[in-house]
Amino acid sequence: MLQAPLTLSGWQMQDAAKVNAAGATVSSRAFSAAGWYAATVPGTVLTTLVDNKVYPEPLYGENMRAIPESLNKTSWWYRTEFSVPASNKGKLIWLHFAGINYSAEIYVNGAQVGSMRGAFIRGDFDITSAVKPGSKATLAVLIHPQPHPGIPHEHTVALGIGKNGGDTAIDGPTFLSTIGWDWLPAIRDRDTGIWLPVTITATGPAIIKDTFITSDIADSHKTADLKIATAIENASAKPVSGNLVGTIEGQGAPISFSTPVTLSPNSTVPITLDSTSMPQLHIENPKLWWPNGYGDPHLSKLTLRFVVGKAVSQEQSQNFGIRKVEYQVADSENLTLSVNGVRIFARGGNWGLDEGMKRIPQERIDAQFRMHALANLNIIRNWVGQSTSPDFYDAADKYGILLWDEFFQPNPGDGPNVTDIPTYLANVTDKVVRYRNHPSIVVWCARNEGYPPKELDDTLKGLMVKLDPTRLYQSNSADGRGVSSHGPYYWRSPRFFYYITEAFKTETGSVSVPTIESIQGMMPQKDWETINDDWAQHDMARGAQRGDEYPFMLAKRYGHIRNLADFVRKAQLANYEAFRAMYEGRNADMFHSTTGILTWMSHPAQPSFVWQLYHYDLDPNASLYAAKKAAESIHVQLNESTNAIQIVNNLPETLNNASVTATIYDLESKVSGTKTYPVASVAPSTVAKVEQLNVNPHITAVYFVKLDLTDSNGKLLSTNFYWHNVAQDDFTSLVTLPKTRLNVTATRAAVANDETSIHVTITNTTQTIALMTHLQLHDAATGKRVLPAFYSDNYLSLVPGESRTITVTAAAKNLTGKPLLMFDGYNITVDDSTNGDVGIALNQNAQPEHWPATNIVPDQQ
């Protein structure tokens, strides 16, 4: 039985300029590391310094401004000691680096065992001759920052967000965004460090390498044929004979197979197995991997062992999914994704970087992907490959989120071409080989908003044919196959999202203001009521997002803004309008003029006011629930450009015998008109017009539209709610809506799968529409928010007499005491209650009346 990998811990770190010794000395047992920092590994240099209280949290307030740029101008020593198990005697002992940035020289017990270059390449080093089983060993790693860290642009009100990128692009495979972008300030160390774990393993002489699993699925989905390509390397000077033994789990009864292999000394033998040579690889009634919303993202597991005699030389296990991806349909030249023969309308978002300082524990990434799945999204674009970690891909597979995955070149306007081509290609190669078994990946893309230099593009095309011929290689994220980018990125009225000139839109966005608690948590109180440089540091300033204009637009649309709480209250209305329209605008002509839409961005790398579905602290705002609404599998919507009522059927089955009821309310919440329309059928993967909405021309200027789609049994399939104005853009009279007192009941379910669920029923017993009802889960004892929490719906608008039941779920470990559900909204109130096992309270912090008037947004004439 082989031992599990040993993850190294107990790291120390020091500025190389303060270490007057070479690697041979630093990696010796006799060397004293007195005065070194306790290092955070995996992590970055800046993370270690923050954890050691050298600097305060950089992403809070304006703290980053005081941290010196010198952090990216020096090299850093990392050092640790580890015990080599006595059981490793007679085996090959390997040292594995999953990821460093930017380059490293690696020493073990006084000897240099290797080097690395580029943030996205692994390092595997044979240290057998340098260590002794049963004894301690010393590892020292000299980490060098990227050679061209560039000059950052500070984000201020006066200067705006400034220029994106810079010379950092020359270095290619690194965290290019950390020089500073219009969604991230410059990270002072440029994320230099050991950013993924370091492990030790032991093997016999034969090693399994570069396994690639592909599948061919019958059109009927009744059979699948697997193909397994791998290689066996003999790392010894003696011939080796053995058997490659495989097991596949997850497709019913375990599937086993074996094939003999003979290896010459220091040689590598490629092996390909398919259903012709290995009939076990023909699978009846396979369980398929599907994108979110289309079926179960089913994963299987392949375990390969190379057995010599009775000993296992090496064992590898990896998940994979059986699915077929196609990129074009007969009636269009545009990029159109199909999975397992079903057209997938791509609705998703962009990730610029998973976290500004690469603080990305598995639990956090899992929650972020779960948020995307909750929002009914099905694709994430890994912009410039900045979020390339194993947990990222595992989460995408788990939640059925397709990946548009990129290499390491930004827009040519944001930095020069990469110059170290060998390092670039080595990192591209290792990334593809490392992750190509993940079913979530559907596109490999070379460059953001531009083409690589022709010679490099041609090289990459040839390389991808060799490494992964199963997927589309796209040279440019903004050109070819109907693909386009380039925004716009600012808030605009819903109707403007219906003007479609590009088929597959990889970037367009809007301002997306977080909850008031998230804003209060990202800056000191002195900055809450003044839109100043602290706000600019968090992306609310002049730039592509038009952050300097947004507060005045908000006030013009929704009325005078009293204070921060009022700013947030009205911003949630704007969030919902824009993000729903962003996806509904594409729904309106699905698979005709358009095949995909990816918001810029769905995920924030730092606390931000813009471009996000949830805040950095994982508190979702109205944008997430607007996207969730628009991206429903079966969806009813009002075309906000033409006023047509439409049904969107994303599923591969026909929707039969449904009906749509449209109800119009005036500003006093009185019914102005209602009508039900029968719908005989809506074909699979189509959008159908039901009828044109007719509004009484004498209705109040501001009015409301409620759409309800039901099946033949009266079951509600989709509901949607809009606020409109006959003059389109003036909603200042919403302030006249009376307060609505909602009736709330909540029960706590038993813990299941380490999660606590709360079932909440909200009823509007008043005669007034309750606009944008927001629930937020807190701990009753501490008053603090429970984060993350997952709401089946939120930011609800309820008409008189309407009731809605939702479920709130959170990790049981984060909710050990009594849960407290706090409510806010545009015009709602609730009665506080401590009865039962769930508390109910009005969120006073979110009420504009709770805070003094600051007139945070000056009135403009």
Side-chain angles (χ1 to χ4, degrees):
M1 188 69 158
L2 292 175
Q3 292 178 333
L6 170 67
T7 300
L8 301 190
S9 59
W11 290 88
Q12 295 174 287
M13 186 193 82
Q14 185 56 277
D15 185 338
K18 298 179 180 179
V19 180
N20 188 24
T25 301
V26 179
S27 63
S28 69
R29 292 289 303 280
F31 181 81
S32 173
W36 284 36
Y37 300 108
T40 302
V41 176
T44 65
V45 169
L46 183 52
T47 301
T48 287
L49 296 175
V50 170
D51 290 347
N52 282 271
K53 312 299 183 185
V54 177
Y55 302 113
E57 167 53 45
L59 300 183
Y60 177 79
E62 299 181 74
N63 286 347
M64 189 72 80
R65 300 192 198 278
I67 300 174
E69 276 283 294
S70 60
L71 296 184
N72 64 61
K73 306 297 192 298
T74 186
S75 298
W76 300 85
W77 276 109
Y78 284 78
R79 186 179 187 274
T80 190
E81 295 182 354
F82 61 96
S83 295
V84 182
S87 59
N88 289 352
K89 185 176 181 180
K91 297 178 180 178
L92 297 177
I93 302 171
W94 301 89
L95 174 65
H96 306 282
F97 285 79
I100 61 93
N101 187 41
Y102 174 77
S103 61
E105 296 149 25
I106 299 146
Y107 301 84
V108 176
N109 287 347
Q112 183 171 355
V113 298
S115 61
M116 298 173 64
R117 188 173 180 85
F120 309 112
I121 195 168
R122 293 166 293 181
D124 300 306
F125 307 104
D126 182 352
I127 61 171
T128 309
S129 62
V131 300
K132 183 179 179 181
S135 299
K136 279 198 167 185
T138 302
L139 169 62
V141 185
L142 182 60
I143 297 284
H144 304 287
Q146 63 181 104
H148 303 89
I151 300 172
H153 303 269
E154 295 299 321
H155 300 178
T156 65
V157 170
L159 299 176
I161 298 301
K163 185 180 183 297
N164 289 337
D167 286 348
T168 184
I170 293 173
D171 298 326
T174 186
F175 301 112
L176 304 172
S177 56
T178 57
I179 190 178
W181 234 262
D182 52 9
W183 43 269
L184 185 70
I187 308 298
R188 301 311 190 189
D189 67 343
R190 306 294 190 269
D191 284 351
T192 301
I194 303 175
W195 71 276
L196 285 175
V198 182
T199 57
I200 300 290
T201 61
T203 71
I207 306 159
I208 304 166
K209 301 185 69 174
D210 301 341
T211 301
F212 188 23
I213 311 158
T214 55
S215 56
D216 185 26
I217 304 169
D219 291 344
S220 65
H221 297 173
K222 291 184 178 180
T223 63
D225 293 284
L226 302 184
K227 180 179 178 180
I228 301 171
T230 191
I232 311 297
E233 177 186 353
N234 181 2
S236 73
K238 297 179 180 180
V240 174
S241 293
N243 289 286
L244 179 65
V245 179
T247 304
I248 295 172
E249 299 172 280
Q251 292 291 332
I255 299 168
S256 298
F257 57 89
S258 177
T259 188
V261 181
T262 298
L263 299 153
S264 301
N266 300 309
S267 67
T268 301
V269 173
I271 297 172
T272 300
L273 304 174
D274 57 26
S275 58
T276 301
S277 61
M278 199 67 66
Q280 299 95 313
L281 299 181
H282 176 79
I283 300 174
E284 299 286 338
N285 301 313
K287 298 177 182 178
L288 305 182
W289 186 93
W290 289 93
N292 183 42
Y294 294 85
D296 178 28
H298 186 82
L299 293 172
S300 300
K301 183 171 76 171
L302 169 67
T303 299
L304 292 178
R305 304 174 186 86
F306 194 79
V307 182
V308 181
K310 294 184 178 181
V312 177
S313 181
Q314 192 195 24
E315 176 179 298
Q316 286 186 351
S317 292
Q318 54 195 6
N319 290 334
F320 69 97
I322 299 177
R323 93 290 185 266
K324 180 180 180 181
V325 179
E326 296 169 289
Y327 299 94
Q328 191 172 317
V329 294
D331 53 357
S332 175
E333 294 295 318
N334 296 323
L335 174 61
T336 306
L337 297 177
S338 297
V339 179
N340 303 330
V342 176
R343 291 189 185 192
I344 307 297
F345 192 85
R347 299 179 183 88
N350 288 263
W351 282 39
L353 182 66
D354 39 29
E355 201 274 337
M357 293 164 58
K358 301 303 290 183
R359 295 172 291 191
I360 49 171
Q362 185 274 336
E363 188 176 33
R364 179 177 176 85
I365 286 186
D366 186 88
Q368 291 160 350
F369 271 87
R370 185 173 175 179
M371 292 279 194
H372 283 72
L374 179 65
N376 292 321
L377 301 185
N378 56 41
I379 188 168
I380 286 172
R381 177 176 168 227
N382 183 12
W383 178 86
V384 196
Q386 298 291 278
S387 301
T388 302
S389 72
D391 290 336
F392 177 86
Y393 296 93
D394 287 344
D397 291 347
K398 174 182 176 180
Y399 289 105
I401 305 296
L402 303 170
L403 294 177
W404 172 298
D405 203 359
E406 295 188 348
F407 303 143
F408 325 113
Q409 298 175 78
N411 182 315
D414 294 334
N417 293 327
V418 59
T419 56
D420 185 350
I421 301 301
T423 293
Y424 174 84
L425 291 175
N427 278 253
V428 168
T429 297
D430 195 59
K431 171 175 174 167
V432 173
V433 169
R434 184 180 192 176
Y435 294 120
R436 62 189 176 183
N437 288 310
H438 288 270
S440 51
I441 301 172
V442 291
V443 175
W444 297 113
C445 182
R447 190 166 200 169
N448 172 53
E449 297 178 329
Y451 286 93
K454 185 178 185 309
E455 183 177 354
L456 179 56
D457 194 19
D458 290 344
T459 299
L460 288 169
K461 289 176 182 175
L463 185 65
M464 297 310 294
V465 169
K466 175 184 175 182
L467 298 178
D468 187 2
T470 69
R471 293 179 173 94
L472 172 67
Y473 169 78
Q474 178 87 8
S475 299
N476 183 339
S477 75
D479 191 35
R481 300 180 177 87
V483 172
S484 186
S485 180
H486 307 302
Y489 303 97
Y490 49 85
W491 196 94
R492 49 216 182 272
S493 294
R495 64 187 180 279
F496 293 109
F497 288 96
Y498 287 77
Y499 301 154
I500 299 170
T501 58
E502 315 96 345
F504 197 106
K505 187 70 169 172
T506 54
E507 291 184 19
T508 190
S510 176
V511 173
S512 181
V513 173
T515 64
I516 187 170
E517 289 78 14
S518 291
I519 295 173
Q520 291 167 339
M522 75 187 195
M523 60 177 61
Q525 186 168 355
K526 67 180 181 62
D527 295 330
W528 291 356
E529 297 288 347
T530 306
I531 300 177
N532 56 16
D533 284 349
D534 202 339
W535 289 54
Q537 183 77 346
H538 299 283
D539 311 320
M540 184 65 79
R542 185 175 72 254
Q545 63 275 64
R546 298 188 182 178
D548 55 333
E549 301 175 12
Y550 175 82
F552 300 102
M553 178 285 302
L554 191 69
K556 182 178 180 181
R557 188 174 184 85
Y558 292 112
H560 173 76
I561 298 176
R562 170 185 170 89
N563 49 27
L564 176 62
D566 199 25
F567 177 85
V568 171
R569 178 180 71 130
K570 288 169 177 168
Q572 298 311 316
L573 289 166
N575 285 358
Y576 204 97
E577 283 195 281
F579 277 79
R580 178 173 59 182
M582 194 181 300
Y583 294 99
E584 287 190 339
R586 295 275 162 166
N587 288 346
D589 205 30
M590 183 175 75
F591 294 124
H592 293 289
S593 66
T594 179
T595 59
I597 172 74
L598 280 69
T599 185
W600 185 266
M601 296 183 301
S602 57
H603 166 80
Q606 73 140 353
S608 179
F609 284 99
V610 304
W611 301 339
Q612 58 194 344
L613 298 178
Y614 47 83
H615 190 60
Y616 174 87
D617 61 15
L618 303 183
D619 197 3
N621 61 41
S623 301
L624 187 147
Y625 291 93
K628 175 181 172 64
K629 176 61 63 180
E632 294 173 316
S633 295
I634 299 291
H635 179 63
V636 64
Q637 68 178 47
L638 181 63
N639 184 312
E640 297 195 75
S641 175
T642 67
N643 249 23
I645 300 170
Q646 298 175 308
I647 296 176
V648 183
N649 180 10
N650 290 295
L651 297 179
E653 300 87 23
T654 299
L655 174 66
N656 292 310
N657 301 320
S659 61
V660 175
T661 299
T663 307
I664 301 170
Y665 297 81
D666 64 18
L667 185 58
E668 296 179 351
S669 301
K670 295 178 180 178
V671 175
S672 172
T674 184
K675 189 170 184 179
T676 298
Y677 306 95
V679 180
S681 67
V682 182
S685 304
T686 62
V687 58
K689 179 179 176 179
V690 175
E691 189 56 79
Q692 199 72 18
L693 182 73
N694 292 312
V695 180
N696 183 338
H698 303 295
I699 199 170
T700 53
V702 171
Y703 61 94
F704 306 96
V705 178
K706 188 175 190 295
L707 302 177
D708 292 306
L709 173 65
T710 55
D711 67 11
S712 57
N713 297 316
K715 178 184 176 182
L716 185 66
L717 300 176
S718 174
T719 184
N720 216 336
F721 185 87
Y722 299 82
W723 46 97
H724 274 192
N725 188 310
V726 294
Q728 293 187 316
D729 292 322
D730 181 1
F731 294 95
T732 56
S733 60
L734 284 175
V735 72
T736 65
L737 280 175
K739 287 281 188 180
T740 57
R741 187 173 300 276
L742 300 176
N743 179 269
V744 180
T745 60
T747 58
R748 183 177 186 174
V751 173
N753 299 319
D754 298 323
E755 290 193 329
T756 292
S757 295
I758 301 167
H759 303 294
V760 190
T761 299
I762 308 165
T763 304
N764 182 3
T765 59
T766 75
Q767 297 304 307
T768 299
I769 288 169
L771 193 59
M772 295 289 282
T773 304
H774 172 223
L775 295 76
Q776 196 178 68
L777 181 60
H778 291 241
D779 182 281
T782 65
K784 293 182 179 179
R785 289 172 295 165
V786 178
L787 298 170
F790 306 94
Y791 306 81
S792 63
D793 203 356
N794 216 329
Y795 292 94
L796 310 170
S797 292
L798 303 174
V799 300
E802 185 175 10
S803 184
R804 201 85 60 84
T805 298
I806 68 171
T807 300
V808 185
T809 306
K813 67 179 183 180
N814 295 336
L815 188 57
T816 56
K818 183 174 181 176
L820 173 65
L821 282 173
M822 302 196 75
F823 286 77
D824 64 86
Y826 187 81
N827 67 321
I828 71 99
T829 188
V830 297
D831 290 326
D832 292 359
S833 172
T834 58
N835 298 329
D837 55 0
V838 180
I840 306 296
L842 182 67
N843 186 349
Q844 294 291 347
N845 183 54
Q847 307 307 311
E849 300 83 3
H850 176 73
W851 299 93
T854 62
N855 302 317
I856 186 173
V857 181
D859 291 330
Q860 289 191 325
Q861 300 300 322

PDB file of all heavy atoms in Angstrom, residues 401-415:
ATOM      1  N   ILE A 401     -20.438  23.656 -14.049  1.00  0.00           N
ATOM      2  CA  ILE A 401     -20.142  24.966 -14.635  1.00  0.00           C
ATOM      3  C   ILE A 401     -19.088  24.793 -15.730  1.00  0.00           C
ATOM      4  O   ILE A 401     -17.951  24.379 -15.462  1.00  0.00           O
ATOM      5  CB  ILE A 401     -19.626  25.947 -13.564  1.00  0.00           C
ATOM      6  CG1 ILE A 401     -20.621  26.060 -12.404  1.00  0.00           C
ATOM      7  CG2 ILE A 401     -19.355  27.306 -14.206  1.00  0.00           C
ATOM      8  CD1 ILE A 401     -21.957  26.645 -12.760  1.00  0.00           C
ATOM      9  N   LEU A 402     -19.466  25.090 -16.962  1.00  0.00           N
ATOM     10  CA  LEU A 402     -18.525  25.025 -18.073  1.00  0.00           C
ATOM     11  C   LEU A 402     -17.439  26.073 -17.892  1.00  0.00           C
ATOM     12  O   LEU A 402     -17.663  27.123 -17.281  1.00  0.00           O
ATOM     13  CB  LEU A 402     -19.257  25.252 -19.398  1.00  0.00           C
ATOM     14  CG  LEU A 402     -20.415  24.287 -19.717  1.00  0.00           C
ATOM     15  CD1 LEU A 402     -21.186  24.777 -20.933  1.00  0.00           C
ATOM     16  CD2 LEU A 402     -19.903  22.878 -19.938  1.00  0.00           C
ATOM     17  N   LEU A 403     -16.270  25.794 -18.447  1.00  0.00           N
ATOM     18  CA  LEU A 403     -15.147  26.726 -18.340  1.00  0.00           C
ATOM     19  C   LEU A 403     -14.646  27.140 -19.715  1.00  0.00           C
ATOM     20  O   LEU A 403     -14.321  26.289 -20.554  1.00  0.00           O
ATOM     21  CB  LEU A 403     -13.997  26.101 -17.549  1.00  0.00           C
ATOM     22  CG  LEU A 403     -14.251  25.816 -16.071  1.00  0.00           C
ATOM     23  CD1 LEU A 403     -13.036  25.141 -15.448  1.00  0.00           C
ATOM     24  CD2 LEU A 403     -14.580  27.099 -15.313  1.00  0.00           C
ATOM     25  N   TRP A 404     -14.601  28.439 -19.922  1.00  0.00           N
ATOM     26  CA  TRP A 404     -13.855  29.047 -21.023  1.00  0.00           C
ATOM     27  C   TRP A 404     -12.506  29.386 -20.402  1.00  0.00           C
ATOM     28  O   TRP A 404     -12.389  30.294 -19.591  1.00  0.00           O
ATOM     29  CB  TRP A 404     -14.588  30.296 -21.517  1.00  0.00           C
ATOM     30  CG  TRP A 404     -13.858  31.141 -22.515  1.00  0.00           C
ATOM     31  CD1 TRP A 404     -12.671  31.788 -22.325  1.00  0.00           C
ATOM     32  CD2 TRP A 404     -14.274  31.449 -23.856  1.00  0.00           C
ATOM     33  NE1 TRP A 404     -12.317  32.485 -23.445  1.00  0.00           N
ATOM     34  CE2 TRP A 404     -13.282  32.293 -24.407  1.00  0.00           C
ATOM     35  CE3 TRP A 404     -15.361  31.111 -24.624  1.00  0.00           C
ATOM     36  CZ2 TRP A 404     -13.374  32.799 -25.705  1.00  0.00           C
ATOM     37  CZ3 TRP A 404     -15.455  31.616 -25.908  1.00  0.00           C
ATOM     38  CH2 TRP A 404     -14.472  32.443 -26.439  1.00  0.00           C
ATOM     39  N   ASP A 405     -11.479  28.639 -20.734  1.00  0.00           N
ATOM     40  CA  ASP A 405     -10.215  28.709 -20.005  1.00  0.00           C
ATOM     41  C   ASP A 405      -9.127  29.326 -20.879  1.00  0.00           C
ATOM     42  O   ASP A 405      -8.945  28.914 -22.029  1.00  0.00           O
ATOM     43  CB  ASP A 405      -9.797  27.309 -19.552  1.00  0.00           C
ATOM     44  CG  ASP A 405      -8.865  27.342 -18.361  1.00  0.00           C
ATOM     45  OD1 ASP A 405      -8.530  28.443 -17.903  1.00  0.00           O
ATOM     46  OD2 ASP A 405      -8.467  26.266 -17.894  1.00  0.00           O
ATOM     47  N   GLU A 406      -8.411  30.285 -20.310  1.00  0.00           N
ATOM     48  CA  GLU A 406      -7.466  31.059 -21.111  1.00  0.00           C
ATOM     49  C   GLU A 406      -6.023  30.858 -20.659  1.00  0.00           C
ATOM     50  O   GLU A 406      -5.748  30.419 -19.541  1.00  0.00           O
ATOM     51  CB  GLU A 406      -7.832  32.545 -21.049  1.00  0.00           C
ATOM     52  CG  GLU A 406      -9.183  32.817 -21.689  1.00  0.00           C
ATOM     53  CD  GLU A 406      -9.518  34.282 -21.839  1.00  0.00           C
ATOM     54  OE1 GLU A 406      -8.817  35.126 -21.257  1.00  0.00           O
ATOM     55  OE2 GLU A 406     -10.496  34.575 -22.539  1.00  0.00           O
ATOM     56  N   PHE A 407      -5.140  31.239 -21.582  1.00  0.00           N
ATOM     57  CA  PHE A 407      -3.724  31.253 -21.277  1.00  0.00           C
ATOM     58  C   PHE A 407      -3.342  32.654 -20.783  1.00  0.00           C
ATOM     59  O   PHE A 407      -4.182  33.338 -20.217  1.00  0.00           O
ATOM     60  CB  PHE A 407      -2.927  30.774 -22.481  1.00  0.00           C
ATOM     61  CG  PHE A 407      -3.341  29.391 -22.939  1.00  0.00           C
ATOM     62  CD1 PHE A 407      -3.381  29.057 -24.283  1.00  0.00           C
ATOM     63  CD2 PHE A 407      -3.730  28.438 -22.019  1.00  0.00           C
ATOM     64  CE1 PHE A 407      -3.780  27.793 -24.694  1.00  0.00           C
ATOM     65  CE2 PHE A 407      -4.124  27.165 -22.414  1.00  0.00           C
ATOM     66  CZ  PHE A 407      -4.154  26.848 -23.770  1.00  0.00           C
ATOM     67  N   PHE A 408      -2.177  33.121 -20.981  1.00  0.00           N
ATOM     68  CA  PHE A 408      -1.633  34.169 -20.123  1.00  0.00           C
ATOM     69  C   PHE A 408      -1.203  35.410 -20.909  1.00  0.00           C
ATOM     70  O   PHE A 408      -0.105  35.921 -20.728  1.00  0.00           O
ATOM     71  CB  PHE A 408      -0.460  33.596 -19.335  1.00  0.00           C
ATOM     72  CG  PHE A 408      -0.654  32.147 -18.951  1.00  0.00           C
ATOM     73  CD1 PHE A 408       0.137  31.158 -19.488  1.00  0.00           C
ATOM     74  CD2 PHE A 408      -1.671  31.782 -18.080  1.00  0.00           C
ATOM     75  CE1 PHE A 408      -0.058  29.828 -19.151  1.00  0.00           C
ATOM     76  CE2 PHE A 408      -1.877  30.457 -17.734  1.00  0.00           C
ATOM     77  CZ  PHE A 408      -1.063  29.474 -18.279  1.00  0.00           C
ATOM     78  N   GLN A 409      -2.124  35.898 -21.770  1.00  0.00           N
ATOM     79  CA  GLN A 409      -1.834  37.118 -22.524  1.00  0.00           C
ATOM     80  C   GLN A 409      -3.031  38.061 -22.430  1.00  0.00           C
ATOM     81  O   GLN A 409      -4.138  37.701 -22.833  1.00  0.00           O
ATOM     82  CB  GLN A 409      -1.557  36.795 -24.002  1.00  0.00           C
ATOM     83  CG  GLN A 409      -0.351  35.912 -24.237  1.00  0.00           C
ATOM     84  CD  GLN A 409      -0.218  35.541 -25.699  1.00  0.00           C
ATOM     85  OE1 GLN A 409       0.245  36.351 -26.505  1.00  0.00           O
ATOM     86  NE2 GLN A 409      -0.633  34.344 -26.052  1.00  0.00           N
ATOM     87  N   PRO A 410      -2.817  39.284 -21.924  1.00  0.00           N
ATOM     88  CA  PRO A 410      -3.923  40.235 -21.845  1.00  0.00           C
ATOM     89  C   PRO A 410      -4.138  40.940 -23.178  1.00  0.00           C
ATOM     90  O   PRO A 410      -3.399  40.727 -24.157  1.00  0.00           O
ATOM     91  CB  PRO A 410      -3.430  41.223 -20.780  1.00  0.00           C
ATOM     92  CG  PRO A 410      -1.942  41.236 -20.980  1.00  0.00           C
ATOM     93  CD  PRO A 410      -1.572  39.820 -21.358  1.00  0.00           C
ATOM     94  N   ASN A 411      -5.160  41.782 -23.205  1.00  0.00           N
ATOM     95  CA  ASN A 411      -5.388  42.669 -24.345  1.00  0.00           C
ATOM     96  C   ASN A 411      -4.072  43.355 -24.734  1.00  0.00           C
ATOM     97  O   ASN A 411      -3.360  43.853 -23.865  1.00  0.00           O
ATOM     98  CB  ASN A 411      -6.434  43.713 -23.927  1.00  0.00           C
ATOM     99  CG  ASN A 411      -6.799  44.665 -25.038  1.00  0.00           C
ATOM    100  OD1 ASN A 411      -5.958  45.177 -25.748  1.00  0.00           O
ATOM    101  ND2 ASN A 411      -8.090  44.923 -25.154  1.00  0.00           N
ATOM    102  N   PRO A 412      -3.723  43.380 -26.025  1.00  0.00           N
ATOM    103  CA  PRO A 412      -2.463  44.026 -26.427  1.00  0.00           C
ATOM    104  C   PRO A 412      -2.337  45.463 -25.938  1.00  0.00           C
ATOM    105  O   PRO A 412      -1.217  45.948 -25.731  1.00  0.00           O
ATOM    106  CB  PRO A 412      -2.521  43.957 -27.955  1.00  0.00           C
ATOM    107  CG  PRO A 412      -3.383  42.772 -28.249  1.00  0.00           C
ATOM    108  CD  PRO A 412      -4.421  42.748 -27.162  1.00  0.00           C
ATOM    109  N   GLY A 413      -3.466  46.143 -25.721  1.00  0.00           N
ATOM    110  CA  GLY A 413      -3.421  47.495 -25.196  1.00  0.00           C
ATOM    111  C   GLY A 413      -3.097  47.563 -23.722  1.00  0.00           C
ATOM    112  O   GLY A 413      -2.804  48.641 -23.187  1.00  0.00           O
ATOM    113  N   ASP A 414      -3.159  46.421 -23.033  1.00  0.00           N
ATOM    114  CA  ASP A 414      -2.895  46.379 -21.595  1.00  0.00           C
ATOM    115  C   ASP A 414      -1.513  45.848 -21.265  1.00  0.00           C
ATOM    116  O   ASP A 414      -1.215  45.573 -20.093  1.00  0.00           O
ATOM    117  CB  ASP A 414      -3.950  45.508 -20.897  1.00  0.00           C
ATOM    118  CG  ASP A 414      -5.342  46.115 -20.977  1.00  0.00           C
ATOM    119  OD1 ASP A 414      -5.440  47.347 -21.092  1.00  0.00           O
ATOM    120  OD2 ASP A 414      -6.327  45.352 -20.940  1.00  0.00           O
ATOM    121  N   GLY A 415      -0.671  45.700 -22.262  1.00  0.00           N
ATOM    122  CA  GLY A 415       0.684  45.245 -22.003  1.00  0.00           C
ATOM    123  C   GLY A 415       1.309  44.637 -23.240  1.00  0.00           C
ATOM    124  O   GLY A 415       0.620  44.146 -24.139  1.00  0.00           O
TER     125      GLY A 415
END
